[in-house]
Amino acid sequence: MIFDTHAHYDDMQFSDDRKELLHSMADNGVGNIVNVSASYDSCKRVVDMVQDYPFMYAAVGVHPDNVGDLDEEAFARMEELFTRDKVVAVGEIGLDYYWDQESHDLQKEWFIRQLKLARQLRLPVLIHSREAACDTMEIMKEYAQGLKGVIHCYSYSKEMAKEYVKLGFYIGVGGVVTFKNARKLKETVEALPLTSIVLETDCPYLAPTPYRGKRNNSIYIQYVAAEIAKLKGITYDEVIAQTEANAKELYGIL
Ligand code: NI
């Protein structure tokens, strides 16, 4: 079944129909979902939410756009959430020089701090990196050796993707791969073995064609899997089965 390794179901865009939508997942071929926090406030929300859905797990971490909300006290409260059930990863964490909401120094400081936390907790990390290829790679090489995780919503070159695979990381592929102009990502998918790819929505964002621009959800991952199958000349079922096995290995879900 489809494994959505990265979703944001605490988002307000799901307020009206969250429950119905999530209860329809199994009938639409979706097996598991990891609900990922981004803002500091969302950390507790995503952990609370996954307790109500047996097929959902949580990732706790603060996105680079929001690290201004962190201080020692907030960080300690966030750390406590890892004692709750079904928290399987640290994320999403990283660097975002596109939106540039916080200074690069502050982003780097909290990125490194959260990588260290993942090591201490022996959990995988979900990495967000936008227009910060060099700094991200530098920090990953120094602080993420031996860790597992996903380079989420991958947007860099196929050469760099191979470097991340060598470091032991999966490449997260979502709706963008279905866009006509996504030549770089299509090439990356062609160049990587399927054993290094995981599927993700990043919903409510980044809906695949034919829903581009609309609200995304995990059911639409079928369009992402179909595009990957086409690019690699394999069957849809092979894509679903291997990426599900990859995700389960990553998160330690049996
Ligand atoms: Ni995300």
Side-chain angles (χ1 to χ4, degrees):
M1 292 181 91
I2 288 170
F3 195 129
D4 185 353
T5 60
H6 190 122
H8 300 284
Y9 280 106
D10 68 308
D11 194 279
M12 265 174 27
Q13 291 189 49
F14 294 109
S15 295
D16 292 339
D17 62 345
R18 182 177 293 113
K19 220 170 161 181
E20 291 145 71
L21 181 63
L22 288 172
H23 282 299
S24 75
M25 288 296 160
D27 287 341
N28 286 287
V30 179
N32 292 104
I33 297 170
V34 173
N35 200 21
V36 179
S37 55
S39 68
Y40 174 70
D41 293 336
S42 71
C43 293
K44 186 169 183 305
R45 277 205 304 272
V46 304
V47 175
D48 286 342
M49 188 185 304
V50 303
Q51 310 306 325
D52 295 335
Y53 301 93
F55 57 91
M56 270 185 132
Y57 296 83
V60 168
V62 176
H63 186 288
D65 287 351
N66 301 307
V67 290
D69 295 338
L70 282 172
D71 56 24
E72 288 307 320
E73 205 188 316
F75 191 75
R77 272 202 300 273
M78 188 184 89
E79 263 185 294
E80 272 173 37
L81 291 170
F82 288 94
T83 61
R84 302 269 308 272
D85 284 344
K86 303 175 80 182
V87 181
V88 294
V90 176
E92 55 187 291
I93 62 175
L95 303 174
D96 192 317
Y97 297 172
Y98 177 79
W99 293 110
D100 247 348
Q101 295 283 325
E102 302 292 347
S103 77
H104 295 186
D105 281 348
L106 196 71
Q107 291 190 39
K108 287 182 196 171
E109 182 189 326
W110 287 109
F111 180 25
I112 292 168
R113 188 76 186 270
Q114 294 182 92
L115 286 172
K116 288 180 175 170
L117 176 66
R119 186 179 301 283
Q120 189 191 320
L121 295 167
R122 296 171 190 261
L123 287 177
V125 288
L126 306 180
I127 306 297
H128 171 104
S129 179
R130 193 160 178 202
E131 304 212 348
C134 292
D135 283 1
T136 305
M137 183 54 92
E138 203 177 294
I139 288 175
M140 293 292 284
K141 282 195 165 150
E142 188 166 352
Y143 296 95
Q145 298 280 354
L147 292 182
K148 288 197 291 193
V150 181
I151 313 301
H152 139 72
C153 197
Y154 188 77
S155 61
Y156 301 135
S157 69
K158 62 181 178 204
E159 290 78 16
M160 189 169 264
K162 286 180 181 169
E163 261 191 85
Y164 278 118
V165 168
K166 248 190 246 161
L167 267 175
F169 279 73
Y170 289 102
I171 302 300
V173 178
V176 174
V177 79
T178 67
F179 300 170
K180 270 212 176 82
N181 56 358
R183 187 182 51 83
K184 231 167 69 178
L185 182 58
K186 289 178 199 280
E187 279 176 14
T188 299
V189 166
E190 284 167 353
L192 291 179
L194 195 58
T195 48
S196 296
I197 293 173
V198 292
L199 305 180
E200 60 175 31
T201 51
D202 205 23
C203 67
Y205 310 107
L206 296 173
T209 306
Y211 296 102
R212 189 173 182 175
K214 305 250 165 60
R215 186 187 74 173
N216 198 3
N217 75 73
S218 306
I219 298 167
Y220 295 167
I221 279 192
Q222 57 187 281
Y223 299 98
V224 175
E227 179 67 23
I228 293 174
K230 197 175 94 188
L231 288 167
K232 299 187 85 60
I234 55 177
T235 68
Y236 175 85
D237 289 345
E238 280 175 87
V239 174
I240 297 296
Q242 184 62 54
T243 54
E244 183 183 30
N246 296 345
K248 287 188 167 178
E249 187 275 330
L250 169 71
Y251 290 123
I253 294 168
L254 300 172

